[in-house]
Amino acid sequence: LREAGLEREIWDMVPPSEHWRAFRYCQSLVGTDYCRDDHFASAEFRMQSQVSPSRVAQLSQPRLESLLLQRAQAAAEQSGSQLLFGTSLESLSGVPCRSSSSSSSSSSSKSYPVTATLRESNGHVHEQEFDLVVGADGARSRVRQALGVAMRGEHDLEAFASVHFASRELGARLAPENKGAMLSFVFNARAMGVVVSHDMRAGEWVLHLPFFPPVQKLEHLDVRQAVLDCLGVRDGELRDFKLHSTRAWGMHAVCAASFKRGPVMLVGDAAHQFPPSGGFGVNAGLVDAHNLAWKLALVARGEADAALLDSYDEERRPATEEALAVAVDNYRRGLLPARALGLDRGAMAAAVSLLGAAEGVSSSSARERMVQGLLRAGRQHLAAPAWLLAGSVRKVVEAREALPLLFPRTDKGQVYRGSSAVSYAAGDPNAAKPAPLQFWLRSPLARGGQADWAPELRAGALVPHAWVTAIRDGEDDGGPARGGGGVERRAAGHGVGGASGSDGQDTGGGRQ
C-alpha cells in the first residue's frame, strides 16, 4: 500500500492509536477490566518499528475496500481496461484439472485459452475467452471449484454470530476512561463475546458472539440483549444505539492445495481462509495480489516468459501455510484467558455434540434450551467482583501467552523459495524447494518468538530496512542535520525476485 501511494491516505483514515493499541479483558465495555494488554509496550512493537518504514495501522475492511476500489477505477480509466460490475461467473471451460491431492502448479509456458461463461445484471449470458484468469471470488470460489482444487486444513474451528451495530455515544463514553481497545474480550454472567472497535469516533462496532450450531439456531438468539449485556448498558441508555445486521460465520484455517493451475490463479479468500486471530486474512490477500501483479505485468509486456507465473504458487502458498500455522496457534492462545476464568470451550463443545447426537431422544427446541441452560450455568461464577477473578487473567497476559497483536517475524521474516528467487536458481542449499507444509498437523509454535529474529540480506527475503541520518557537508555527524535533516525513514528495497520484481511480502502489515 505504501508502494501504491496509499499509505498517507490510509493514515488520514486511521483512528488515534489510543483507541486500538490495546486488548481489553473485561466484564463489559463500560464495566471493570480484568486486565488490559498494551501491545505498543511489547518487544514485537519495538521490533516492528525497527524493521519497517511503515507503521502498523487499524483500518476496517469496508473503508480499505472503498479506497482500493476508487484507485482501481482510476487505473482502469487511465489504461482503457474494463471493470464490469453486476457481472457474475457462471462457469469456466478449458481449465486444466488435476487430482485435488496434487499441489504443484501446471506449467504456464503453454497456452491454455480459458472460456468463461458470464452473466450480466440484466440476465444476458455470453462467453468470452481469456489467456489468463485470476480467481479473487471469495471463500466459495467458483474459479477454484472449476479447477477442482481442494481446501486443506482445519474446518469449523468455531461458529459466531457477527453483529454490526453503531453508537457514537459509546465511544465518547469509553475514550475519557481510557477504555479504548481494538478487541474487548467480554466475560460476564449474562453473556460473553468479542467486541471489535472499528472506529470509536464514528461509532462503528462489531460483536462476535459464539454459538453452537446446529443445536443453537441463529434466528433464536436474542442478539440485541446479548449486545447490551456485553456493553454493560440497559436498553435505551445509549440513545443513538442502532443494530445494523447479524450474520453467522464459521471459523476455518484452510489453504488451497494449489494456487495455480495452467493459466488460472487463485488469490485472497479463494486461496485461503484464516481465523481472524492475528488479522492475516485481508493482508495475506493483498500480498497475494501484489506478488502476482508484477509478474502478470512483466508477462503481459513480453518482458518475461509466462513460466514466471509458476513462482506465484511456489512462493505464496508456503508463506500462507506458515501464516496459517501462526493464526491457528493464535486462536488457541485467544482461548487461554477464558480458560483461566473457568470457561472451557472444548468441554462445552463436547457437551453440545452429545446433545446434538440425541436427536431421537428429545426435540430440537428442548436440546436448544438445554444448551442455553448449560451456557448460563457455566457463567454464573462470573457474577463475582472483577478483582476476585482478575489475577488468573493477568497471569496469562503477563506471561505473554494471550493473543498478540503484532507479528514482525511472520510479517517480515518469511523467505520465498520459489523460482523467482535468485538463490533457488543458483542452487542455494538453504533454498531447496519445500514439500507442501502440513501446517494443521504441527504442534503449537513456540510463543514469544515473533521478535526473536534478525532481518538478513538473502535472495527471497524482504530486503532489510534501516534508519539513516542525513548529514550535510561540514556538519558534525553526532546529531541530526539542520534544515530538515535528521533521521529519515527509507526502505532499502522490496525486491524478493531479483531485479525483475518487488513484493513487500507483508502478510499482516496492517492488522484488521
Side-chain angles (χ1 to χ4, degrees):
L1 296 176
R2 186 172 189 256
E3 182 181 345
L6 293 172
E7 185 176 40
R8 185 175 298 276
E9 195 168 351
I10 285 174
W11 268 103
D12 288 341
M13 302 167 67
V14 170
S17 63
E18 59 267 24
H19 290 180
W20 54 269
R21 61 185 284 171
F23 292 169
R24 290 180 66 202
Y25 301 90
C26 55
Q27 286 191 320
S28 68
L29 257 69
V30 302
T32 307
D33 285 351
Y34 298 115
C35 186
R36 181 180 176 86
D37 193 0
D38 182 0
H39 297 285
F40 281 20
S42 66
E44 288 78 11
F45 179 75
R46 292 190 292 273
M47 169 64 79
Q48 192 94 24
S49 302
Q50 294 167 6
V51 300
S52 175
S54 297
R55 296 172 290 165
V56 64
Q58 183 202 22
L59 186 66
S60 67
Q61 185 172 335
R63 289 190 176 189
L64 179 61
E65 287 179 349
S66 176
L67 185 61
L68 293 174
L69 176 59
Q70 293 173 20
R71 186 59 60 94
Q73 289 173 320
E77 185 175 340
Q78 293 171 4
S79 65
S81 302
Q82 285 182 293
L83 293 178
L84 304 178
F85 296 98
T87 301
S88 61
L89 175 70
E90 294 290 300
S91 63
L92 283 177
S93 58
V95 177
C97 292
R98 289 190 175 191
S99 167
S100 62
S101 62
S102 172
S103 60
S104 60
S105 59
S106 301
S107 172
S108 54
S109 58
K110 300 178 182 179
S111 175
Y112 296 100
V114 176
T115 301
T117 302
L118 305 174
R119 180 181 296 274
E120 299 175 15
S121 56
N122 60 7
H124 176 67
V125 177
H126 68 279
E127 293 184 345
Q128 191 168 341
E129 276 197 352
F130 297 92
D131 294 325
L132 296 167
V133 174
V134 177
D137 51 340
R140 296 180 176 85
S141 171
R142 289 190 177 182
V143 175
R144 187 183 68 239
Q145 293 170 15
L147 294 178
V149 172
M151 297 295 280
R152 308 183 306 185
E154 297 190 42
H155 294 266
D156 300 314
L157 289 167
E158 194 164 352
F160 293 88
S162 180
V163 187
H164 177 207
F165 65 96
S167 174
R168 289 177 182 265
E169 284 187 27
L170 178 62
R173 181 168 171 178
L174 296 177
E177 300 177 11
N178 194 32
K179 291 183 175 178
M182 180 187 292
L183 302 179
S184 295
F185 296 85
V186 178
F187 307 101
N188 65 54
R190 297 181 61 85
M192 56 184 292
V194 183
V195 179
V196 184
S197 168
H198 284 308
D199 192 335
M200 284 176 57
R201 302 167 303 178
E204 298 175 6
W205 312 84
V206 172
L207 167 65
H208 294 298
L209 186 68
F211 76 117
F212 294 88
V215 178
Q216 282 188 298
K217 305 292 192 296
L218 178 66
E219 59 270 23
H220 295 167
L221 298 179
D222 190 345
V223 170
R224 183 182 183 88
Q225 189 58 53
V227 173
L228 297 174
D229 289 338
C230 285
L231 300 185
V233 299
R234 298 184 304 276
D235 200 356
E237 186 174 340
L238 297 173
R239 293 167 296 177
D240 65 343
F241 176 83
K242 184 175 182 180
L243 199 62
H244 285 304
S245 62
T246 302
R247 68 177 183 88
W249 64 278
M251 182 189 296
H252 311 292
V254 293
C255 181
S258 176
F259 284 17
K260 181 180 182 297
R261 291 277 170 83
V264 185
M265 289 137 285
L266 303 172
V267 302
D269 283 356
H272 44 69
Q273 293 150 43
F274 283 79
S277 43
F280 296 119
V282 171
N283 296 285
L286 289 171
V287 184
D288 292 343
H290 188 275
N291 181 283
L292 186 57
W294 67 264
K295 297 170 184 177
L296 288 171
L298 290 180
V299 172
R301 292 197 297 260
E303 298 175 20
D305 187 84
L308 174 65
L309 299 176
D310 289 341
S311 66
Y312 169 66
D313 174 77
E314 295 166 356
E315 294 170 357
R316 286 303 304 151
R317 185 167 47 82
T320 297
E321 291 175 333
E322 291 284 0
L324 270 167
V326 177
V328 170
D329 190 54
N330 285 341
Y331 165 66
R332 296 170 181 149
R333 296 174 72 168
L335 298 175
L336 294 179
R339 189 175 300 167
L341 288 169
L343 302 168
D344 190 328
R345 187 199 176 276
M348 185 64 199
V352 173
S353 180
L354 288 174
L355 286 173
E359 188 171 347
V361 178
S362 59
S363 66
S364 61
S365 59
R367 293 196 302 273
E368 193 167 10
R369 288 194 299 272
M370 283 188 277
V371 170
Q372 292 284 24
L374 285 173
L375 290 171
R376 282 194 299 270
R379 295 191 303 257
Q380 287 311 298
H381 65 288
L382 298 178
W387 62 268
L388 282 176
L389 305 170
S392 58
V393 179
R394 190 179 301 113
K395 184 177 180 179
V396 172
V397 171
E398 291 178 352
R400 311 311 301 166
E401 290 286 314
L403 175 65
L405 171 65
L406 304 171
F407 306 88
R409 184 182 65 183
T410 302
D411 292 346
K412 308 294 183 185
Q414 289 182 339
V415 179
Y416 285 159
R417 296 175 174 87
S419 57
S420 76
V422 175
S423 61
Y424 179 68
D428 182 344
N430 294 321
K433 190 173 181 180
L437 298 173
Q438 306 295 313
F439 63 89
W440 54 92
L441 299 179
R442 296 179 183 173
S443 58
L445 302 181
R447 292 169 182 163
Q450 281 290 329
D452 297 340
W453 68 277
E456 57 181 333
L457 186 61
R458 61 177 293 185
L462 187 68
V463 176
H465 155 75
W467 294 93
V468 298
T469 302
I471 305 296
R472 294 180 182 275
D473 289 343
E475 288 188 336
D476 183 1
D477 63 0
R482 293 189 295 270
V487 177
E488 176 186 1
R489 293 189 175 194
R490 185 175 301 279
H494 295 283
V496 292
S500 63
S502 65
D503 178 5
Q505 198 188 333
D506 186 351
T507 54
R511 301 268 71 79
Q512 294 297 316

